[in-house]
Amino acid sequence: MEQANPLHPDGESKGGVLAHLERLETQMSKSRKQSEEPQSVQAQEGALGTKIHKLRHLRDELRAAVQHRQASVKASTANVEPNLAVEMNEQEVLEEKLENVKAVLQAYRFTGLSGKLTSRGVCVCINTAFEGNLLDSYFVDLVIQKPLRIHHHSVPVFIPLEEIAAKYLQTNIQHFLFSLCEYLNAYSGRKYQADRLQSDFAALLTGPLQRNPLCNLLSFTYKLDPGSQSFPFCARLLYKDLTATLPTDVTVTYQGVEALSTSWEEQRASHETLFCMKPLHQVFASFARKGEKLDMSLVS
Amino acid sequence: MDAELAEVRALQAEIAALRRACEDQPAPWEEKSRVQKSFQAIHQFSSKGWKSSKDLKSQLGHLESELSFLSTLTGINIRNYSKQTEDLTGTEMTEKSIRKVLQRHRLSGNCHMVTFQLEFQILEIQNKERLSSAVTDLNIIMEPTECSELSEFVSRAEERKDLFMFFRSLHFFVEWFEYRKHAFKHFKEKYPDAVHLSEGPSSPFMVIRSASQPGFELVIVWRIQIDEDGKVFPKLDLLTKVPQRALELDKNRAIETAPLSFRTLLGVLGIEAALESLIKSLCAEQNG
């Protein structure tokens, strides 16, 4: 005759969880009673009760994951023989742990830096983003040797990788990677702005957008009102700080022969300021919105 | 009442033990060299098990060392992560070969004594030309909430939907926070009668008072600021409290110019040396 399962998982776990719930219940009703009584002595006890409740909640949160795992393991071994139960326990615990670790590893890309261990060392993945838009990723494959060395990478050639590596790689990997992150994120952001300008606001551009690979020197001509006969504005944006996504030097000029009227001059000056303060494609988005308003006034 | 007090003590001890497991990591500013060292150690461990082992345990070990490396590198310890995907592609979109997917992510973890819980959504749109991926919603819950210096920064990160800036700045903020705490504790231990931390070592205030010169007080305000771009930097100020009579006697206006002089001192000596020199100057008699 088969022996009853010595672990008695159902009974034990039910007793454990039930007892826990009962304790919580009594504590809740106790603190509720205390909060109803307004006297100062009871108020003191009530404050204590609330404190206990808060502490318990915090402690329980910290323990919650472990309890859950234990409960699920016990439940799954309910109808299995003792020896198998022990083995399956371990197997399932390991599998669940493995799944959790894999998931958490996936999550690291949201910090901007993630990576995988390799037979030579580590391959670090740098993710870039601009204003919530997730952009390109780059990798740097590091070899653990003395000295630490970059085996290969996907960093564009115009990013000063060697410079940054020379400064930090041997003494402080973290600083090296954070610094590289700064450069790559800024480059990605500038590239994103230039791409958006070209794709979304081609109607306002009167010529091709001129840009260098590093996207820190942009030159273009534009008109607020494409239909008008006026000469376009010519803008030149220079981003001296390679870790920034806003330009450091902006010049907006007028290509026409006649001098600008005051209102046009004001507009030209305000555009210079705008390009310094807001991302390129957002400036053009505001131009487009103003244009729509103008059209409406013509119609009515 | 006694039973409840005992329970409070027991709970606090338990929480402290669980928290210590988080805080047991070395001081963050020491981690810079620790990353280099752990890098070597982790590589040694994993290269042993590298020859493709299907065994669950060694696989787990390998991944856990990967996790340990990332946690040390980023300064962020992620403990839980889950994701849900919802396909929003309508029939119209499929005809134009456009695909729209909404991902819901939830992750939680800690950065030393700060715990965080993030919920965010990412909308992926795939059309013929490109795949675009954007964070469409970001919610951040942080504890402890008393860290007022952080709450403004958190709102900004949520508004900008800037995940990377959030994590990077959090890491540096906590580094400075722990360094300030360590420095304040150090001065309290070295000069117990002169240094007063009325709100504890985690607050931005350190008061220097000389027992032999009551009425004179120097208050160091050491704030940790996070600017618009997410850069974290310390900002120190000196406040003086002196008796009226002393002010009248101060012909050289030393007290008036003290805050400015302090800034200069900081630039010359650095934070710790500047603070130490202030303590010594006020308590010269005591130490003599």
Side-chain angles (χ1 to χ4, degrees):
Chain A
M1 195 154 145
E2 267 189 38
Q3 291 205 356
N5 191 334
L7 288 179
H8 238 305
D10 280 332
E12 251 182 38
S13 65
K14 270 197 194 140
V17 171
L18 258 183
H20 181 71
L21 280 173
E22 277 173 325
R23 260 183 280 127
L24 274 177
E25 252 184 311
T26 36
Q27 173 230 308
M28 284 297 288
S29 60
K30 220 189 197 175
S31 63
R32 216 177 294 137
K33 267 192 224 149
Q34 285 165 353
S35 66
E36 281 164 10
E37 287 163 291
Q39 288 90 5
S40 60
V41 175
Q42 263 89 8
Q44 222 180 27
E45 288 180 352
L48 208 53
T50 321
K51 187 169 184 182
I52 290 179
H53 182 66
K54 280 190 180 159
L55 286 175
R56 279 211 192 126
H57 185 69
L58 180 59
R59 192 268 325 264
D60 290 345
E61 269 181 28
L62 288 168
R63 275 190 187 172
V66 178
Q67 282 184 346
H68 167 79
R69 208 168 290 142
Q70 282 178 352
S72 67
V73 165
K74 280 184 178 172
S76 65
T77 61
N79 298 312
V80 176
E81 287 200 84
N83 294 335
L84 266 179
V86 173
E87 268 175 41
M88 276 194 64
N89 262 353
E90 223 187 275
Q91 177 87 346
E92 290 203 9
V93 165
L94 274 181
E95 279 178 358
E96 201 169 321
K97 241 185 166 180
L98 196 63
E99 284 312 302
N100 190 42
V101 172
K102 279 188 186 165
V104 171
L105 279 171
Q106 279 288 299
Y108 266 92
R109 63 196 155 106
F110 297 118
T111 66
L113 264 184
S114 60
K116 277 183 141 49
L117 296 181
T118 65
S119 53
R120 284 177 298 257
V122 71
C123 185
V124 178
C125 178
I126 297 174
N127 297 291
T128 62
F130 181 68
E131 299 200 326
N133 295 285
L134 303 176
L135 305 169
D136 295 327
S137 324
Y138 303 89
F139 72 86
V140 179
D141 202 328
L142 295 168
V143 181
I144 310 266
Q145 271 176 8
K146 282 212 158 62
L148 213 55
R149 146 181 101 72
I150 300 174
H151 180 73
H152 63 282
H153 64 87
S154 67
V155 176
V157 70
F158 40 78
I159 302 281
L161 177 62
E162 286 77 32
E163 245 180 69
I164 307 170
K167 265 197 221 164
Y168 305 118
L169 183 58
Q170 303 310 324
T171 47
N172 193 338
I173 295 183
Q174 198 187 54
H175 201 159
F176 164 70
L177 289 170
F178 283 177
S179 180
L180 192 55
C181 268
E182 257 193 315
Y183 278 86
L184 286 171
N185 269 284
Y187 160 66
S188 251
R190 295 192 301 267
K191 180 161 168 292
Y192 177 77
Q193 292 173 63
D195 289 342
R196 286 292 296 273
L197 175 59
Q198 268 183 302
S199 64
D200 297 357
F201 301 103
L204 294 177
L205 292 178
T206 56
L209 168 66
Q210 292 176 346
R211 56 200 272 185
N212 64 343
L214 189 47
C215 286
N216 75 326
L217 181 54
L218 303 177
S219 177
F220 52 91
T221 52
Y222 65 100
K223 257 195 210 179
L224 286 190
D225 181 8
S228 79
Q229 295 297 312
S230 59
F231 279 91
F233 281 141
C234 180
R236 183 177 173 275
L237 274 61
L238 175 64
Y239 303 72
K240 271 199 206 131
D241 181 0
L242 293 183
T243 61
T245 51
L246 285 175
T248 46
D249 295 47
V250 173
T251 39
V252 177
T253 52
Y254 177 66
Q255 296 287 295
V257 177
E258 322 95 50
L260 275 178
S261 65
T262 16
S263 68
W264 281 104
E265 173 55 37
E266 270 171 22
Q267 217 175 57
R268 186 203 66 78
S270 79
H271 287 192
E272 267 184 359
T273 320
L274 273 175
F275 286 130
C276 280
M277 284 176 20
K278 283 170 66 176
L280 188 52
H281 60 298
Q282 282 175 19
V283 177
F284 270 81
S286 65
F287 289 167
R289 277 195 298 272
K290 277 205 203 114
E292 282 166 18
K293 286 198 196 133
L294 279 172
D295 279 342
M296 293 301 285
S297 67
L298 281 175
V299 169
S300 59
Chain B
M1 186 96 152
D2 283 338
E4 285 165 355
L5 279 173
E7 180 162 10
V8 168
R9 259 177 267 128
L11 280 166
Q12 284 172 333
E14 199 176 342
I15 290 169
L18 288 163
R19 274 231 175 99
R20 235 175 289 134
C22 298
E23 284 189 35
D24 238 349
Q25 299 167 29
W29 65 91
E30 288 166 2
E31 271 178 26
K32 288 188 213 287
S33 63
R34 189 171 166 263
V35 176
Q36 310 288 118
K37 290 183 195 148
S38 75
F39 206 47
Q40 317 271 359
I42 288 164
H43 173 70
Q44 273 173 0
F45 167 78
S46 69
S47 62
K48 279 185 206 146
W50 182 251
K51 312 275 153 96
S52 65
S53 184
K54 298 263 163 88
D55 181 39
L56 267 185
K57 266 200 187 143
S58 65
Q59 214 188 349
L60 187 62
H62 177 80
L63 290 181
E64 277 179 343
S65 55
E66 214 168 75
L67 200 56
S68 169
F69 170 70
L70 285 178
S71 167
T72 312
L73 178 64
T74 59
I76 304 286
N77 184 28
I78 300 180
R79 282 200 302 266
N80 278 298
Y81 169 64
S82 65
K83 159 176 143 175
Q84 285 176 322
T85 312
E86 196 185 321
D87 196 330
L88 297 180
T89 315
T91 40
E92 241 183 59
M93 291 189 225
T94 326
E95 283 161 25
K96 298 185 196 160
S97 35
I98 298 176
R99 195 158 170 260
K100 225 173 167 185
V101 172
L102 184 67
Q103 300 170 350
R104 279 194 191 106
H105 304 263
R106 183 183 289 180
L107 64 82
S108 63
N110 70 296
C111 178
H112 285 259
M113 77 295 170
V114 174
T115 56
F116 53 79
Q117 199 174 300
L118 270 70
E119 279 182 24
F120 54 97
Q121 296 184 348
I122 294 180
L123 182 61
E124 267 187 6
I125 303 178
Q126 168 98 59
N127 59 23
K128 280 188 213 130
E129 290 129 21
R130 57 178 175 179
L131 166 68
S132 81
S133 209
V135 179
T136 51
D137 191 40
L138 174 58
N139 274 300
I140 303 171
I141 303 174
M142 298 241 282
E143 287 217 21
T145 47
E146 309 92 55
C147 244
S148 60
E149 292 162 306
L150 273 180
S151 50
E152 198 192 302
F153 156 68
V154 169
S155 317
R156 211 183 300 143
E158 282 180 334
E159 224 178 86
R160 296 211 192 145
K161 310 194 180 51
D162 201 335
L163 280 168
F164 300 168
M165 177 186 82
F166 168 72
F167 282 116
R168 194 57 29 82
S169 304
L170 178 62
H171 162 73
F172 284 120
F173 178 88
V174 169
E175 208 174 81
W176 273 109
F177 186 91
E178 295 281 299
Y179 175 64
R180 178 179 71 187
K181 188 163 133 182
H182 175 88
F184 280 178
K185 272 190 181 163
H186 162 77
F187 287 125
K188 179 68 188 168
E189 271 167 42
K190 195 168 175 190
Y191 306 97
D193 299 320
V195 171
H196 301 270
L197 304 170
S198 52
E199 288 175 41
S202 300
S203 88
F205 305 103
M206 178 172 94
V207 177
I208 308 172
R209 222 181 282 148
S210 164
S212 56
Q213 306 275 4
F216 279 86
E217 228 175 67
L218 295 177
V219 180
I220 311 283
V221 185
W222 181 349
R223 295 210 184 277
I224 304 166
Q225 300 197 318
I226 311 182
D227 73 6
E228 282 282 313
D229 300 320
K231 288 214 164 68
V232 183
F233 55 95
K235 186 159 180 291
L236 283 92
D237 280 302
L238 175 67
L239 301 175
T240 56
K241 187 176 129 182
V242 295
Q244 187 65 28
R245 178 101 174 88
L247 267 178
E248 290 162 11
L249 287 172
D250 181 21
K251 297 286 190 289
N252 292 331
R253 293 167 61 234
I255 292 161
E256 233 177 273
T257 56
L260 209 55
S261 318
F262 177 58
R263 288 266 174 87
T264 320
L265 195 65
L266 278 176
V268 172
L269 292 179
I271 297 178
E272 278 198 68
L275 292 184
E276 181 134 33
S277 72
L278 272 183
I279 300 173
K280 283 192 175 153
S281 67
L282 195 64
C283 310
E285 289 172 19
Q286 260 181 301
N287 291 338

